[in-house]
Amino acid sequence: MPSIDLGGWAESSVGWLQTHLSWLFDAVNTVLTGLYEGVDAVIGAPDALIVAGILAVLAWWLRGLAAGVLAFAGLALIDSFGLWDEATATLSLVLVASLITLLVAVPLGIWAARSRRVSGVLRPVLDVMQTMPAFVYLIPGVMFFSIGPIPGLIATIVFSMPPGVRMTELGIRQVDGELVEAARAFGTTPRDTLVRVQLPLALPTIMAGVNQVIMLALSMVVIAGMAGAGGLGEAVYSAVTKVDIGGGVESGLAVVVLAMYLDRITGALGRRVSPLGRRASAKAAASARRATPAFLRYRPGTAVATVGIVVLALIGGGMRLVGGDDGRQSVAAGQNVGQGKSIKLGYFPWDEAVASTYLWQNVLEDRGYKPTVQQLDPGPLYTALAQGQMDLQFDAWLPTTHKQYMDRYGDKLADLGSWYGPTSLELSVPSYVKGVDSLADLKGKGALFGGKITGIEASAGMMARLNDTVLKEYGLDGEYKVVSSSTSAMLADLDRAIKKKEPIVTTLWSPHWAYGTHDLKKLKDPKGAWGKGEEIHAVGKKDFARDFPRVAEWMKNFRMTEKDLSSLEAEIQNGGKGKEKESARRWLDAHPGYADRMAPAGN
């Protein structure tokens, strides 16, 4: 069978589209960004409890008092987790994606219901859209629109559209044909037949499709956190990569609350707008009157609910105007180099990347900049730097680990110099594993380690080097399987194995705090398959020196010793999850004068 390079064709097609249709992607990006930011501004502007109250009134109107109370309690719980901003960002993405999806899906469903040929063409397309792994949609999204909410929005629209189309088509096809014939016999036009007969009777099925669209949109928005979409998806992704149990539980519960609220509200709305649904609701209400107290059955009328929502919205707007905080930071006189200029810092969840990024976030704030920090995988981060959507990252391992990204984007990046080195890549085992001191000793001992090597992110250059060179050099490629995960997952697996005194072999590198925490052996590399030690560089977007000349100058002179970096990483580890910035600030306070050496404020 001849080889079919479908992946190469797809990559060439994406490159062609980027070159020739960039104007179109820019226009789409501008429109969708404006729409998303507008919705987010409306939802996120008032106080959290005010918005929770508005959404609770909506639930009370549609489902009753108990639903309103539970909705308010759930939304207040999200606020108590400190995840309200993330929740409103996620809700904004879901609403915008669902609106756009339904504007396309419902007309397509109607068209498919009225034409067998259109239905036959759409069916395989919808099959592909619905069964393609959701993560795949993020790749072209990032390539065309860079990181941020828009790739997630595009991927969400594509992923959630099939049920909207299918359920609309199904609902219209299920309408009794005799009713349609009767309408036509009385001279009803096809348009009026659709609007006055088919759509009202198909509405319960269509609303079920709307519900599924919203649920799929919410699930995809969470996945889109991997591409920098923000919101609860980013919180979930961050918790997973850092093995943060507490953060994972809180962000996961926040997603559950939103999902349950949207599911119940759309279901109730479907019954409210559908004639058949209203009839079923009336029967259910009549049967429940004897068993339910009167005050629990009471639902405000549409006018009363509208007045309540408007009053709460006005109160929220007034509170924002009276108590708003401009968020400005005081900067010491003579040190306001940045003049409030924004700078975007990216990092992936490697310890030295976390440590250096939050260290520089504190220092840049002290110098008058407004740095924002975002976690991404290496692939999306380098893509964002190349497209100018991110300004700077501090953990480029060169010339080996991140060679693939520099080769691909080298002319679109700025190497700002090395700040640490040399490093080393290695495989490590606990010291209690006897008879394994070098890579050569692993041969023939695959059964001891379960035939696997616990690795880190699949996109890391270290993983490619291990699979393509190291295993083959020592004849291990058929005996061991490299299991990709994340840095935090690898460390968690290492910690679990050590507690149980089980044999394990993992990817590691130096410097790393794990060598100070656990008694580990670096496996020797007599054949030099890992290559020479690397340098850790700061890499910025192409025009970084032009946009941030002082920061570029600081980067050229920035160096950290192993002692300083190790102590900073230890401080951040001891500080706990979610407190990296505060931990880096404590480290700076414990090292007076260090910030001045990193970023001299004088001319």
Side-chain angles (χ1 to χ4, degrees):
M1 182 70 182
S3 176
I4 300 176
D5 189 16
L6 182 59
W9 298 343
E11 189 168 343
S12 299
S13 299
V14 169
W16 187 90
L17 290 172
Q18 285 180 306
T19 302
H20 296 86
L21 294 181
S22 60
W23 58 271
L24 177 60
F25 299 128
D26 291 340
V28 172
N29 193 17
T30 300
V31 172
L32 293 182
T33 299
L35 186 59
Y36 162 72
E37 290 180 348
V39 173
D40 189 45
V42 172
I43 298 177
D47 182 78
L49 294 182
I50 294 294
V51 177
I54 292 173
L55 296 177
V57 169
L58 182 61
W60 186 13
W61 172 58
L62 289 173
R63 291 185 58 88
L65 181 60
V69 172
L70 290 174
F72 184 84
L75 295 168
L77 182 66
I78 294 176
D79 185 42
S80 71
F81 291 156
L83 294 172
W84 183 256
D85 291 339
E86 290 82 356
T88 55
T90 295
L91 185 58
S92 300
L93 277 172
V94 170
L95 292 177
V96 173
S98 300
L99 174 63
I100 297 174
T101 300
L102 293 172
L103 288 176
V104 177
V106 172
L108 281 177
I110 294 173
W111 192 14
R114 305 183 75 171
S115 171
R116 294 286 182 181
R117 181 175 298 178
V118 173
S119 178
V121 171
L122 282 178
R123 190 175 297 114
V125 175
L126 296 175
D127 289 341
V128 172
M129 293 169 65
Q130 195 165 20
T131 56
M132 182 73 71
F135 297 95
V136 175
Y137 292 123
L138 296 179
I139 300 173
V142 171
M143 297 303 297
F144 292 140
F145 302 101
S146 188
I147 61 170
I150 304 308
L153 192 60
I154 297 294
T156 300
I157 292 170
V158 176
F159 183 68
S160 61
M161 188 173 295
V165 178
R166 293 183 191 277
M167 297 298 280
T168 300
E169 179 184 0
L170 177 63
I172 293 176
R173 288 191 183 278
Q174 286 180 335
V175 174
D176 192 341
E178 294 183 358
L179 293 176
V180 176
E181 289 299 326
R184 291 173 180 171
F186 281 97
T188 307
T189 64
R191 178 179 179 276
D192 286 340
T193 301
L194 173 67
V195 173
R196 298 184 179 184
V197 178
Q198 290 175 303
L199 283 179
L201 293 176
L203 203 53
T205 305
I206 294 175
M207 288 304 298
V210 171
N211 178 273
Q212 290 303 302
V213 166
I214 293 176
M215 291 297 99
L216 287 176
L218 181 59
S219 67
M220 186 62 201
V221 163
V222 172
I223 294 173
M226 296 179 62
L232 292 173
E234 184 174 347
V236 171
Y237 174 58
S238 177
V240 170
T241 56
K242 296 177 181 178
V243 196
D244 181 4
I245 297 175
V249 170
E250 291 178 352
S251 55
L253 280 176
V255 173
V256 170
V257 170
L258 282 186
M260 293 180 65
Y261 179 85
L262 291 172
D263 177 65
R264 304 303 190 270
I265 291 302
T266 52
L269 186 61
R271 291 190 294 273
R272 179 63 66 97
V273 300
S274 166
L276 296 177
R278 287 197 296 270
R279 187 181 306 169
S281 296
K283 291 182 179 179
S287 63
R289 283 174 184 168
R290 296 179 180 178
T292 308
F295 76 95
L296 289 178
R297 295 198 309 267
Y298 171 72
R299 297 183 187 180
T302 302
V304 174
T306 302
V307 169
I309 290 173
V310 170
V311 169
L312 287 173
L314 291 174
I315 293 173
M319 291 173 60
R320 184 172 178 83
L321 290 174
V322 173
D325 182 9
D326 60 9
R328 289 178 296 181
Q329 295 175 321
S330 60
V331 180
Q335 294 192 358
N336 192 12
V337 178
Q339 299 293 320
K341 190 173 184 178
S342 297
I343 181 171
K344 299 176 183 178
L345 310 179
Y347 74 96
F348 30 88
W350 296 4
D351 294 287
E352 70 283 347
V354 174
S356 56
T357 301
Y358 283 100
L359 175 68
W360 271 105
Q361 183 185 25
N362 280 286
V363 172
L364 290 172
E365 283 184 353
D366 292 344
R367 295 297 181 263
Y369 290 91
K370 290 184 177 179
T372 56
V373 172
Q374 188 171 13
Q375 177 185 319
L376 295 164
D377 267 356
L381 178 53
Y382 276 98
T383 301
L385 287 169
Q387 295 179 348
Q389 300 299 315
M390 191 67 68
D391 294 316
L392 180 62
Q393 73 101 351
F394 300 96
D395 202 30
W397 284 52
L398 298 174
T400 302
T401 303
H402 291 155
K403 180 179 184 297
Q404 57 180 317
Y405 301 114
M406 299 305 291
D407 289 346
R408 183 171 186 176
Y409 300 119
D411 58 340
K412 299 178 182 179
L413 302 174
D415 187 345
L416 302 175
S418 166
W419 59 269
Y420 182 91
T423 64
S424 65
L425 305 177
E426 57 254 355
L427 294 182
S428 296
V429 299
S431 60
Y432 55 74
V433 178
K434 305 301 181 183
V436 179
D437 300 300
S438 75
L439 293 173
D441 295 332
L442 290 174
K443 191 170 180 62
K445 295 186 174 67
L448 177 65
F449 298 100
K452 74 172 184 178
I453 297 172
T454 304
I456 53 174
E457 293 79 5
S459 57
M462 179 185 189
M463 295 288 283
R465 182 85 176 186
L466 175 60
N467 282 297
D468 298 340
T469 304
V470 177
L471 294 185
K472 293 180 180 179
E473 186 70 24
Y474 288 93
L476 306 174
D477 49 344
E479 185 178 358
Y480 291 86
K481 178 182 178 181
V482 179
V483 180
S484 60
S485 55
S486 68
T487 302
S488 297
M490 176 272 292
L491 292 169
D493 198 29
L494 175 64
D495 183 68
R496 179 200 58 79
I498 289 177
K499 288 178 179 177
K500 293 183 176 182
K501 294 291 184 180
E502 295 176 350
I504 184 174
V505 55
T506 68
T507 54
L508 260 180
W509 53 92
S510 300
H512 198 286
W513 58 266
Y515 287 114
T517 304
H518 304 297
D519 189 6
L520 302 173
K521 290 190 293 185
K522 299 180 184 180
L523 298 186
K524 298 176 182 178
D525 179 18
K527 297 183 179 182
W530 281 115
K532 296 181 179 179
E534 297 187 270
E535 301 283 329
I536 303 179
H537 292 238
V539 172
K541 63 180 183 179
K542 183 177 181 179
D543 298 325
F544 184 85
R546 183 196 66 188
D547 295 342
F548 304 97
R550 290 300 298 276
V551 181
E553 181 182 344
W554 295 335
M555 290 296 107
K556 290 180 181 179
N557 299 316
F558 172 49
R559 296 287 296 180
M560 288 195 80
T561 65
E562 182 172 359
K563 179 181 178 181
D564 289 337
L565 181 56
S566 298
S567 63
L568 174 59
E569 290 178 348
E571 183 67 42
I572 290 177
Q573 286 292 318
N574 294 333
K577 307 295 185 181
K579 299 181 180 180
E580 292 85 357
K581 183 181 177 183
E582 294 83 352
S583 299
R585 170 58 65 185
R586 284 196 302 274
W587 188 89
L588 275 174
D589 292 341
H591 294 75
Y594 200 92
D596 292 330
R597 294 194 298 272
M598 289 174 60
N603 295 325

